[in-house]
Amino acid sequence: KGSTGNMSYYTKIMAPSRTKDQVLQQGTEFCQAKTKAESLEIQKRNGVRYSELLRLPYYDLVRMSITDPMHTKWLGMVRNEIKLCISKLTKSQLTRFNSRIKKITVPYDVGRLPSDWNDQSDFNGMTAQQWKNFALIYARPCFSGLLPQNAYKSICLLCEIVELITKPVFNDDDNLKLYRLLHEHHKIFETVYGKWQVSVNYHMALHIPEVIADYGPPQVYWCFFYERMNGMLSDISC
């Protein structure tokens, strides 16, 4: 842990994933703990708790746990890195940044963005869709010439990753490219912002190519559909 108490997930080596049998063994060990303190110690050591799903002979907790791009990418990496980029801008650069955003005209169904990026507290109310749209449309032209070279290269790589993940059709070449871009981005990001900015979202994103190989394009299973239903349910008066 760093001085802030945050955990760094930066690593130079991608460790192999645990197997189904290893997770089953560790989950069973958690279940058989005799005290709550013992179970918490086992959980802390292994990072695994017991689930009744582990009793299903065909269930593989490793390969059947999907990394959701909506939370990992848009609400995780994209939001974090754009906030870091904006924090690097001087007052005059931020004025130019705001001016560039206002000059970009998009179709009405793309949705609105904050008109003033001086107050970062407004970021808390931005949706995953807004962060995705910002990465796809605004980030590269609006940050151009305003950031240090490596910081701008990092945000451009992130935007390219977003473009790939949002594709409705994926092939093996796309997946290999995504794997390469993720690793290239993470190396530059760590160089620019330091290892303590590498959160769990950056680690989980490295597993997205594996998930795509098993389940297809992220549009099939990302959480936009479920989040939309949450919004609909919240409007119902009981």
Side-chain angles (χ1 to χ4, degrees):
K1 293 186 178 181
S3 58
T4 61
N6 295 328
M7 183 72 75
S8 172
Y9 287 84
Y10 171 73
T11 178
K12 293 183 179 180
I13 300 173
M14 186 66 173
S17 297
R18 276 178 280 194
T19 65
K20 171 187 174 182
D21 291 338
Q22 285 175 316
V23 173
L24 176 59
Q25 178 184 349
Q26 292 166 349
T28 302
E29 184 183 354
F30 175 90
C31 185
Q32 292 175 346
K34 293 182 172 55
T35 65
K36 183 177 181 180
E38 183 183 352
S39 67
L40 290 174
E41 179 59 33
I42 293 171
Q43 175 191 337
K44 183 178 179 180
R45 182 174 67 248
N46 297 331
V48 175
R49 290 187 292 181
Y50 179 76
S51 168
E52 284 295 305
L53 293 173
L54 293 172
R55 297 176 60 186
L56 300 173
Y58 56 83
Y59 185 73
D60 186 336
L61 187 61
V62 177
R63 294 190 66 178
M64 295 181 180
S65 297
I66 294 178
T67 301
D68 171 46
M70 192 194 87
H71 290 90
T72 305
K73 298 296 294 181
W74 324 144
L75 293 175
M77 290 174 59
V78 171
R79 176 168 61 180
N80 179 59
E81 188 157 350
I82 289 173
K83 289 172 70 174
L84 288 171
C85 287
I86 290 176
S87 70
K88 285 182 169 291
L89 302 180
T90 64
K91 187 174 181 180
S92 61
Q93 288 174 328
L94 191 56
T95 300
R96 290 173 62 191
F97 176 80
N98 281 319
S99 175
R100 289 175 179 180
I101 289 179
K102 293 174 183 177
K103 288 179 181 179
I104 295 176
T105 303
V106 296
Y108 75 91
D109 56 348
V110 169
R112 299 176 61 186
L113 288 174
S115 57
D116 185 358
W117 291 70
N118 288 284
D119 184 4
Q120 292 199 25
S121 63
D122 290 343
F123 297 168
N124 297 329
M126 286 181 63
T127 65
Q129 184 71 29
Q130 286 176 307
W131 287 117
K132 178 171 73 72
N133 290 338
F134 186 88
L136 290 173
I137 302 168
Y138 296 88
R140 283 167 286 192
C142 292
F143 281 122
S144 179
L146 301 180
L147 293 171
Q149 183 178 358
N150 277 345
Y152 184 66
K153 185 175 181 180
S154 179
I155 197 69
C156 287
L157 285 169
L158 182 60
C159 294
E160 196 171 351
I161 290 167
V162 171
E163 284 181 343
L164 260 180
I165 291 178
T166 53
K167 287 184 63 173
V169 178
F170 243 80
N171 57 40
D172 291 341
D173 289 338
D174 292 326
N175 218 10
L176 287 172
K177 182 179 180 181
L178 176 59
Y179 179 86
R180 176 183 60 79
L181 287 172
L182 283 165
H183 282 266
E184 185 179 354
H185 168 267
H186 285 17
K187 289 178 182 177
I188 296 175
F189 178 86
E190 187 274 332
T191 300
V192 175
Y193 300 105
K195 69 177 184 178
W196 299 112
Q197 287 294 341
V198 183
S199 68
V200 66
N201 287 311
Y202 293 82
H203 169 78
M204 296 304 296
L206 296 175
H207 292 284
I208 292 178
E210 301 171 20
V211 174
I212 291 173
D214 283 343
Y215 298 101
Q219 288 193 19
V220 177
Y221 46 80
W222 61 23
C223 286
F224 278 110
F225 318 110
Y226 312 103
E227 294 291 328
R228 191 174 299 118
M229 287 300 298
N230 288 340
M232 294 170 62
L233 290 172
S234 66
D235 292 334
I236 298 176
S237 300
C238 297

